[in-house]
């Protein structure tokens, strides 16, 4: 399932220890020049943001704070202790400021900051990902270079000098990873993914640095070349450690268990919904969406002589066969294995034209750039939206598409492109770009709270993108093509089953066979998609729940707005309104929009 890179940024904030060329504006209160409790909260927020950027230079680069572009985070025991101390001190300051003393906007920011620092403390003292999850080290290493080169936030020579500085530090960073990771605590799927991604770090140099390094001359160019050589040698040393030390010992259970899952779910969603409530809602939604898929399949198969029986009240077996037969029609319209970017680009423009013609929401002025996913990030998701940080909202947004691996057989490639056929790619373009992640983050960046942007809610962001898929169909997108509606419902079913397997795997001990059967039969996924989801679910905990929970909350918020506003309700005004509050958890955006209690 696609994901937004925007939503993954929070996972590195303050989790470790260790970068503003413009001042951070952390809260609405500061922007309005308020005094009293709001002013005190503005100071607390500014201090938290400043120290967080210092401790997390890679996140700072993405945010647009370029004071620390030459540094890497300090993920040693000393750095982690400094980060933990920062979180605990911030928690005490936030707790000392009652929520009811603040403006409504700052009540929301306070709740988000409180959730974040509590999560930081829990991650540091209980979860200890630095010791068992090599992928957090991988993301920092790769992003430290990628974030300097992907966008033109400064002249190229300046950015290349920062690349040189970080390259010089990366061999020590990789050595610290070897010293901190405990191979016996590392789950096998994490180690295998790490082994595959580590060598991909070299591609950042060959693909992004080498073609432009002539922007440097003399001693600066020589320094960059020397740093590259040291970096490549360090990667090879690290790869040897991964293969000879980490992989043989990495036998830990990847399953989180109920206690860890439930706590992380609370921090991820910041929602009153429990794991059990989410599962109950998801089980009911599976039945409803499958019934809707059957009705659409009957329309799609009308006139096909070889269609299976289509009774008004089908048995489960009849329902399965009819839906599968219609999905096979959609799957047959596949892109070439080397044309995913081109097809995605075309699909994004089709969606943009529809949104503009219907005037559904205020659109960004510039286009989103569709790119091949960087090699060091492949192996987790099929696509993602990578938006600029809140201090550099004028820079490019990328819609990254993962290519089909060269070593896949034709059969595997057909399985993949059957799942991601042309109609599915069209739906993903809606999700990732128009009017999904790209448009939503554009709106979010208009809100003055940098704090809220940095702590953006994954369930709001992912939920909006899923909501956008449904809303587009409701408004008539591809209305003359029942196979598109069927494909959109299948993707919605994937959203729902994401939430089910998230907890079924990590709490209920579902096996790979159970997951594969559930996804290929109940959710109609192709084998390659189901296999990829099994791998992704092993590597993440609770992120797969954000799509369904956020979608449900967005649908409920719109229904509440319609009920309250009556004849005055308009879809564009609602969309611009709900997105204008940034990316807080949906319940807070709803409360601000509809003047409900914030709790």
């Amino acid at each position: 399932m696609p994901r937004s890179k925007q939503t993954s940024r929070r996972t590195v904030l303050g989790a470790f220890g260790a970068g503003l060329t413009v001042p951070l504006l952390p809260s609405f209160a500061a922007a309005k020049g308020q005094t009293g409790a709001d002013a005190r909260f503005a100071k607390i927020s500014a201090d938290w943001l400043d120290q967080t950027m210092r401790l997390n230079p890679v996140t700072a680069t993405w945010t647009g704070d370029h004071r620390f572009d030459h540094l890497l985070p300090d993920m040693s025991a000393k750095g982690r202790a400094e980060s933990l101390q920062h979180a605990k001190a911030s928690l005490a300051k936030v707790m000392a400021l009652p929520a009811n003393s603040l403006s409504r906007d700052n009540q929301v920011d306070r709740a988000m900051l409180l959730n974040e620092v509590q999560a930081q403390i829990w991650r540091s003292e209980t979860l200890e990902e630095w010791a068992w999850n090599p992928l957090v080290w991988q993301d920092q290493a790769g992003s430290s270079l990628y974030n300097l080169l992907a966008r033109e936030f400064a002249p190229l020579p300046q950015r290349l000098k920062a690349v040189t500085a970080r390259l010089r530090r990366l061999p020590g960073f990789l050595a610290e990873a070897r010293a901190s990771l405990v191979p016996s605590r590392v789950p096998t799927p994490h180690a295998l993914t790490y082994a595959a991604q580590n060598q991909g770090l070299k591609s950042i140099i060959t693909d992004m640095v080498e073609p432009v390094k002539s922007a440097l001359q003399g001693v600066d160019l020589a320094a960059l070349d020397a740093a590259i050589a040291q970096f490549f040698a360090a990667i090879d040393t690290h790869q040897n450690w991964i293969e000879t030390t980490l992989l043989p010992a990495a036998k830990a259970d990847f399953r989180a268990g109920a206690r860890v899952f439930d706590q992380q779910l609370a921090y991820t969603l910041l929602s009153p919904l429990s794991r059990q409530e989410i599962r109950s809602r998801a089980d009911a939604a599976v039945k409803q969406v499958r019934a809707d898929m059957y009705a659409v399949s009957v329309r799609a198969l009308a006139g096909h002589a070889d269609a299976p029986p289509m009774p008004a009240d089908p048995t489960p077996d009849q329902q399965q066969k009819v839906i599968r037969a219609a999905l096979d029609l959609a799957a047959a319209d596949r892109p070439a294995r080397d044309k995913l970017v081109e097809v995605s680009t075309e699909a994004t423009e089709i969606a943009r034209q529809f949104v503009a013609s219907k005037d559904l929401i205020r659109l960004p002025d510039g286009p989103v750039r569709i790119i091949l996913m960087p090699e060091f990030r492949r192996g987790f998701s099929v696509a993602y939206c990578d938006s600029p940080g809140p201090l550099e909202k004028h820079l490019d947004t990328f819609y990254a598409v993962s290519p089909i691996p060269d070593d896949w057989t034709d059969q595997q490639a057909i399985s993949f492109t059957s799942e991601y056929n042309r109609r599915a790619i069209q739906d993903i373009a809606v999700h990732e770009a128009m009017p999904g992640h790209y448009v939503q983050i554009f709106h979010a960046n208009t809100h003055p709270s940098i704090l809220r942007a940095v702590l953006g809610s994954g369930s709001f962001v992912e939920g909006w993108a899923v909501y956008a898929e449904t809303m587009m169909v409701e408004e008539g997108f591809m209305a003359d093509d029942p196979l598109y509606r069927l494909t959109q419902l299948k993707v919605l079913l994937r959203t729902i089953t994401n939430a089910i397997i998230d907890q079924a795997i990590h709490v209920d001990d579902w096996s790979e066979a159970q997951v594969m059967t559930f996804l290929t039969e109940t959710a109609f996924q192709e084998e390659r998609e189901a296999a990829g989801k099994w791998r992704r679910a092993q590597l993440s905990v609770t992120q797969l729940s954000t799509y369904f929970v956020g979608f449900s909350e967005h649908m409920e918020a719109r229904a509440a707005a319609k009920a309250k506003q009556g004849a005055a309700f308009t879809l564009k005004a609602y969309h611009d309104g709900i997105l204008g509050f940034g990316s807080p958890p949906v319940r807070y955006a709803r409360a601000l929009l509809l003047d409900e209690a914030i709790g």
Side-chain angles (χ1 to χ4, degrees), residues 49-71:
L49 276 168
D50 181 72
Q51 183 65 357
T52 294
M53 295 300 104
R54 291 178 184 276
L55 295 172
N56 297 274
V58 177
T59 297
T61 299
W62 166 79
T63 303
D65 179 350
H66 295 294
R67 293 175 294 170
F68 315 110
D69 284 352
H70 60 297
L71 299 176

Side-chain angles (χ1 to χ4, degrees), residues 9-10 13 48-49 53 62-63 390 450-456:
R9 301 298 178 186
R10 291 187 57 201
L13 293 178
W48 181 85
L49 276 168
M53 295 300 104
W62 166 79
T63 303
I450 301 302
L451 177 72
R452 192 176 300 180
V454 170
L455 300 180

Side-chain angles (χ1 to χ4, degrees), residues 68-87:
F68 315 110
D69 284 352
H70 60 297
L71 299 176
L72 294 175
D74 180 2
M75 292 170 59
S76 68
K78 177 179 177 293
R80 296 194 300 268
E82 186 178 2
S83 182
L84 178 60
Q85 181 183 14
H86 167 49

Side-chain angles (χ1 to χ4, degrees), residues 89-154:
S90 300
L91 176 62
K93 293 176 183 178
V94 176
M95 292 294 290
L97 194 61
N100 59 11
S101 68
L102 301 173
S103 69
R104 285 171 60 80
D105 248 289
N106 279 336
Q107 287 179 35
V108 171
D109 281 8
R110 178 188 181 276
M112 295 176 70
L113 180 55
L114 186 63
N115 182 73
E116 176 61 28
V117 294
Q118 289 173 332
Q120 288 176 12
I121 294 168
W122 177 75
R123 289 197 299 264
S124 179
E125 295 184 333
T126 303
L127 196 59
E128 297 183 330
E129 273 195 295
W130 48 269
W132 62 265
N133 187 356
L135 301 183
V136 300
W137 295 84
Q138 171 71 10
D139 186 67
Q140 290 289 288
S143 296
S144 72
L145 302 174
Y146 180 81
N147 289 350
L148 291 172
L149 295 165
R151 296 182 176 88
E152 298 179 2
F153 60 81

Side-chain angles (χ1 to χ4, degrees), residues 329-568:
L329 292 179
D333 188 8
R334 299 187 299 270
R337 64 184 292 165
D338 61 345
K339 296 296 182 182
L340 296 181
V341 169
E342 290 83 352
V343 175
S344 297
T345 301
E346 179 184 4
T348 300
E349 177 58 18
I350 291 171
R352 186 200 65 79
Q353 290 181 12
F354 180 84
V355 174
S357 69
K358 298 283 285 188
D359 198 23
L360 297 175
I361 192 172
R362 183 167 63 96
L363 291 175
D365 294 331
V368 60
R369 287 182 55 192
I370 293 87
I371 64 170
L372 279 178
M373 188 180 297
E375 186 175 345
F376 78 98
R377 284 179 173 162
R378 296 174 192 172
F380 182 81
S381 63
V382 172
Y384 62 73
C385 180
D386 186 0
S387 300
L391 295 178
E392 295 179 322
K393 57 196 74 175
H394 61 287
L395 297 179
D396 287 334
T397 293
F398 302 123
Y399 166 15
V401 180
S402 181
I404 294 175
D406 292 337
D407 60 355
W408 275 17
T409 65
D410 288 343
Q411 184 177 358
Q412 288 175 317
I414 289 172
S415 174
F416 181 88
T417 54
S418 294
E419 182 75 26
Y420 292 97
N421 56 67
R422 289 183 177 274
R423 291 177 176 86
I425 290 174
Q426 181 66 70
D427 184 72
I428 291 171
V430 171
H431 179 107
E432 298 292 346
M434 289 287 176
H437 290 316
Y438 172 48
V439 176
Q440 185 264 313
I441 298 300
F442 159 76
H443 279 261
N445 280 340
T446 65
H447 193 275
S449 173
I450 301 302
L451 177 72
R452 192 176 300 180
V454 170
L455 300 180
S457 164
S459 57
F460 185 100
V461 174
E462 295 297 355
W464 167 264
V466 179
Y467 163 82
E469 299 171 59
T470 296
M471 179 274 295
M472 288 280 279
V473 169
E474 292 174 339
E475 292 304 303
F477 186 57
M478 309 290 284
D480 58 347
D481 184 1
L483 288 178
Y484 179 79
R485 170 59 171 162
L486 180 64
T487 300
Q488 182 266 321
L489 285 170
K490 176 184 172 180
V491 176
L492 179 58
L493 186 59
R494 182 193 304 164
T495 293
I496 301 163
T497 54
N498 277 349
I500 292 175
I501 67 168
D502 194 14
Q503 58 180 266
I505 290 171
H506 287 288
V507 178
D508 301 328
D509 294 331
W510 276 22
S511 67
E512 180 179 3
Q514 285 178 286
V515 172
M516 291 295 290
T517 298
F518 178 67
L519 294 181
T520 57
E521 295 185 6
T522 301
F524 300 99
Q525 294 178 15
E526 298 292 334
E527 184 274 338
R528 283 291 84 192
E529 171 66 16
K533 191 56 59 64
W534 163 250
R535 180 182 65 251
R536 179 174 170 182
Q538 294 176 84
L539 300 176
S540 67
V541 180
T542 72
Q543 194 274 335
L544 285 173
S545 296
T546 60
Y547 302 88
F548 175 63
V549 172
F551 167 68
S552 301
E553 291 176 336
H554 272 292
M555 294 297 287
E556 291 166 0
R558 187 182 70 175
K562 282 185 175 181
K564 183 170 185 175
Q565 297 171 6

